[in-house]
Amino acid sequence: RGIGARLLETAIHRTRIAGATQLVLGTSTQLKAANLLYRKYGFRKLSAKPKWATPYARETIYMRLNLSP
């Protein structure tokens, strides 16, 4: 596994420990390898931009991972 996978696993683990039921991220469609990694770990594309989304122009898609058992 690469460092990206290890970082993502750690983020998911810590989010679960904190009691969250979901993990949401914003990313760019241009980051092909990152998006494949996110999908591999179960993230799915949101159909709409979240209300909390940042004005960061490169955030072109948003993904969510459900953490509920």
Side-chain angles (χ1 to χ4, degrees):
R1 289 186 320 234
I3 192 160
R6 287 183 282 170
L7 288 169
L8 187 55
E9 287 171 3
T10 299
I12 292 168
H13 177 71
R14 289 184 179 201
T15 302
R16 279 194 169 113
I17 288 172
T21 59
Q22 64 181 348
L23 181 56
V24 181
L25 61 83
T27 188
S28 170
T29 54
Q30 294 180 355
L31 301 174
K32 305 282 187 212
N35 290 318
L36 286 172
L37 181 66
Y38 300 143
R39 282 193 292 260
K40 177 182 172 184
Y41 278 83
F43 283 85
R44 298 295 173 250
K45 185 178 174 186
L46 295 176
S47 59
K49 185 176 183 176
K51 292 179 183 177
W52 55 261
T54 69
Y56 188 56
R58 291 185 185 181
E59 275 185 1
T60 54
I61 61 170
Y62 298 88
M63 304 176 89
R64 174 178 46 228
L65 174 64
N66 290 319
L67 300 173
S68 300

